[in-house]
Amino acid sequence: MAEISNYKVAASPHKLDSSSTRTVMLDVLIALIPCLVCGVVYFGLYSLALVVICMSACFLSEQLYNLIRKKPFTFDLSALVTGLILGLNLPPRAPWYIPIIGGVFAIIIVKMLFGGLGKNFANPAATARVFLLLAYSSVMTKYIGFDISGNILSTDIVTAPTYLSGGTAAFQSSFMGVSGYWGYVLQLLFGTVGGSIGETCKVAILAGGVYLGVRRVIDWRIPVVYLLTSAVMFLVCYGSAKEMLLQLLSGGLLFGAVFMATDYATSPKWKYNRVLYAFGLGVITVLIRRFGSYPEGTSLAILIMNLFVPMMDKFILPVRFGQMTKAGKPMPQVMQWSMRSLCIVLAAMLLIFVPITNYTNVYIDKSGVYSYVQEVSRKLSGEYVFTVQGGAPIMGGYVQNLEYKVYVDADTDTVTDVVPIAQSTMGYTAELSFFEGKTYAEILQNTDLSTDSEFSATKTNTKLREMILECFSFYDYNMARYERLAYTDENITLAERSGTLYRFTIAGVADLTEYNYKQALKYAITLDSSTNKVYAITTLAESTYGYTCDKPVFLGKTKQEIEDMTRDEIASDITTSATVTNVSVQGMILRCFEVMGALQEGANG
């Protein structure tokens, strides 16, 4: 202990500066201004009114509580910060009473009843948002789209999806001349999507975060480790680096990481505990998003981790200067090195697995014309991931946009998983048990997709079945290996074989006499000789005006069943196609059966 004599020992405080609660809160208010401005510009003046009401409710609630308890009024700006953060977390067209209820709950219930600033057990804004989501879930999940000119003076509620609830349906087709994936990223970055008032523009959030970091108001460890952990978890749970970036920029994750998780009163005192705290936030947020019933998990994750902070500060203590073990040796810095190692591991996982994911998720070029398949990739395990989009006609002309990721094990012809990206928010959701774990043959045979489940809809199930059947047709035409056969005629330009499967590339014509129009048709038709059934149909050329073949009419049918189909029966079975095209395809399929029989006889002879 002799070295201690080299230091001057004096009573605290040892570090003096001009900061106070009021100056810290003022910095937070300044940092939130870009988010507020963007929210008002994107969603209109009504959004500003909601934020003002929320801030007023918080401030007046605190003063009223002080008046009732005969305590001095407080003007440290903390209530205004809570009101501003909560207001920016509200939907742009929430009813006027929502910010009042939320503000009173945040200040009275969460903050003042526990002793006021610094003594509250959880972040008031995050807790109030969770309360509002539970109490007014339908109101708190209604968002409007980005429209500067249309929203500025409007109070109308024209709901629009967010990426977390509606998938890519939430995006415009292009942004600043950029379309596709990077167009989606730019829209999320600049906030031209639906969402809460202050959470959409990530540029504004980052600007506020940089300001708070420079002013040393927040500890950079919390948002950085929170986002780093979330990125790794998204990569693990979704298996896609592209999806990881979209998830990081969606919802309130970035806003919560910068402005809510860093709250002095409810985050750990010790810096290495803050790393552990942020790690827990990232894990819980992603688990809620991926496996929970609600697509957003930031506020709930913050509330849950806030409950662990007192225990962390009590039992996980830093090593004091000069602290020794019972053996008289310096106390090892276990927590310090553990948290440093955790950060290094997370960063290493991100650096290693992002390239691996991009390498193993091989995006496959589409050959053929597809109604639903948008993107296909192959994972390291050999599993194929299909991104499919379509629309299910529900009722009264309403078409529900659908998007799923369908995972297919090609070795066993089995659908291993179906992940909804966008589907009905009114209960018309698909019954995934009809498809998950089922083989292609089982899905072909199962045409009764009605369900008693209150959370599902037969029409959605039917549309998802069509999407999955197209996934298998895509695989059959683009990835399966066939041996070319020595056969061609005036219509069949290519004949191939793979085991019991025969695939024919055949051309034909749909004669639309009433329109004085003849449509050239071309398909790859795969037949299974072991069952004498139609295995797959891939469109190579057909009408672009909607006169398309309704493939489920023929898939899984035997030659005899197709022969017995009358024109009226084909017409009565279709809802999305043209009878004339179906009749032409019927003849083309029967021709393929004839050729398959001839090839089999020739092989046997």
Side-chain angles (χ1 to χ4, degrees), residues 7-173:
Y7 294 88
K8 181 179 179 180
V9 179
S12 61
H14 302 290
K15 182 179 180 181
L16 299 175
D17 60 35
S18 59
S19 64
S20 64
T21 299
R22 185 181 178 86
T23 58
V24 168
M25 295 301 163
L26 181 60
D27 278 331
V28 177
L29 289 173
I30 293 172
L32 286 165
I33 289 176
C35 297
L36 177 61
V37 171
C38 289
V40 174
V41 170
Y42 290 170
F43 302 117
L45 293 175
Y46 183 82
S47 300
L48 177 61
L50 288 178
V51 174
V52 171
I53 292 172
C54 195
M55 294 176 70
S56 301
C58 289
F59 180 77
L60 294 175
S61 296
E62 185 167 296
Q63 306 314 323
L64 181 61
Y65 183 88
N66 288 331
L67 181 64
I68 294 173
R69 293 295 306 274
K70 298 181 180 180
K71 292 184 176 182
F73 292 138
T74 52
F75 300 96
D76 56 16
L77 304 181
S78 62
L80 294 180
V81 169
T82 297
L84 182 52
I85 292 176
L86 178 58
L88 293 175
N89 272 281
L90 297 177
R93 292 295 181 268
W96 61 269
Y97 57 84
I98 291 294
I100 296 177
I101 295 173
V104 172
F105 182 88
I107 297 300
I108 301 297
I109 305 299
V110 184
K111 180 180 176 182
M112 302 307 291
L113 288 180
F114 287 87
L117 182 64
K119 298 179 182 179
N120 44 292
F121 74 99
N123 182 284
T127 309
R129 188 186 188 193
V130 172
F131 165 74
L132 291 174
L133 283 168
L134 294 174
Y136 304 95
S137 57
S138 61
V139 171
M140 289 293 292
T141 53
K142 285 184 179 179
Y143 301 103
I144 63 172
F146 159 84
D147 185 355
I148 294 178
S149 60
N151 287 335
I152 190 66
L153 297 176
S154 174
T155 59
D156 296 337
I157 302 177
V158 180
T159 58
T162 65
Y163 176 69
L164 295 180
S165 65
T168 54
F171 299 125
Q172 304 169 39
S173 58

Side-chain angles (χ1 to χ4, degrees), residues 221-510:
R221 294 173 182 83
I222 294 176
V224 169
V225 176
Y226 188 178
L227 295 174
L228 180 62
T229 304
S230 299
V232 173
M233 287 292 294
F234 284 134
L235 202 59
V236 171
C237 291
Y238 291 92
S240 168
K242 287 187 173 182
E243 184 65 24
M244 175 196 73
L245 184 56
L246 293 177
Q247 289 286 337
L248 283 174
L249 295 176
S250 299
L253 176 57
L254 190 59
F255 186 90
V258 173
F259 295 111
M260 298 166 73
T262 53
D263 177 33
Y264 278 155
T266 55
S267 58
K269 292 186 293 185
W270 317 117
K271 59 184 179 181
Y272 294 111
N273 282 2
R274 293 172 188 167
V275 174
L276 182 61
Y277 165 75
F279 174 76
L281 287 173
V283 172
I284 295 173
T285 299
V286 178
L287 290 178
I288 292 173
R289 277 198 187 182
R290 179 64 178 85
F291 302 105
S293 58
Y294 182 64
E296 177 61 274
T298 303
S299 295
L300 185 56
I302 292 172
L303 174 58
I304 292 172
M305 286 306 300
N306 284 165
L307 301 177
F308 287 96
V309 168
M311 289 187 291
M312 293 168 64
D313 283 341
K314 182 176 181 180
F315 296 108
I316 308 177
L317 301 174
V319 176
R320 298 187 303 274
F321 178 74
Q323 185 176 357
M324 298 290 182
T325 64
K326 292 182 179 180
K329 296 181 179 180
M331 182 69 71
Q333 301 276 359
V334 176
M335 191 62 182
Q336 174 180 333
W337 289 107
S338 297
M339 292 302 99
R340 286 180 178 177
S341 300
L342 176 63
C343 293
I344 292 172
V345 169
L346 289 173
M349 289 178 67
L350 206 59
L351 291 173
I352 293 171
F353 287 113
V354 166
I356 289 178
T357 302
N358 284 332
Y359 176 75
T360 56
N361 278 284
V362 180
Y363 287 88
I364 300 166
D365 293 333
K366 292 188 291 184
S367 180
V369 180
Y370 301 93
S371 301
Y372 309 117
V373 174
Q374 304 297 315
E375 192 175 75
V376 186
S377 63
R378 186 183 70 249
K379 298 175 71 67
L380 182 63
S381 61
E383 191 176 42
Y384 288 88
V385 184
F386 295 83
T387 301
V388 292
Q389 295 177 353
I394 304 298
M395 61 177 65
Y398 171 69
V399 177
Q400 173 63 56
N401 292 325
L402 305 173
E403 182 177 355
Y404 300 90
K405 285 191 180 295
V406 180
Y407 294 76
V408 174
D409 183 347
D411 293 334
T412 60
D413 271 359
T414 302
V415 175
T416 58
D417 194 14
V418 179
V419 179
I421 304 299
Q423 55 181 346
S424 174
T425 57
M426 297 184 291
Y428 305 115
T429 55
E431 188 69 59
L432 302 183
S433 61
F434 282 138
F435 312 104
E436 292 177 334
K438 300 294 192 297
T439 64
Y440 178 54
E442 290 173 330
I443 295 172
L444 271 178
Q445 293 171 4
N446 185 13
T447 56
D448 182 11
L449 300 176
S450 59
T451 174
D452 294 329
S453 170
E454 60 179 329
F455 300 111
S456 181
T458 302
K459 291 183 179 179
T460 306
N461 291 337
T462 302
K463 183 58 64 175
L464 178 55
R465 177 178 180 269
E466 293 179 16
M467 293 176 173
I468 292 175
L469 293 180
E470 186 172 274
C471 293
F472 281 98
S473 293
F474 183 102
Y475 175 82
D476 178 72
Y477 188 72
N478 289 273
M479 282 88 83
R481 295 184 178 181
Y482 280 77
E483 173 191 1
R484 184 164 184 165
L485 301 176
Y487 180 88
T488 58
D489 60 29
E490 60 179 347
N491 297 116
I492 295 178
T493 58
L494 179 63
E496 301 167 288
R497 180 182 177 183
S498 176
T500 62
L501 299 179
Y502 286 79
R503 187 170 69 195
F504 301 94
T505 301
I506 184 170
V509 174

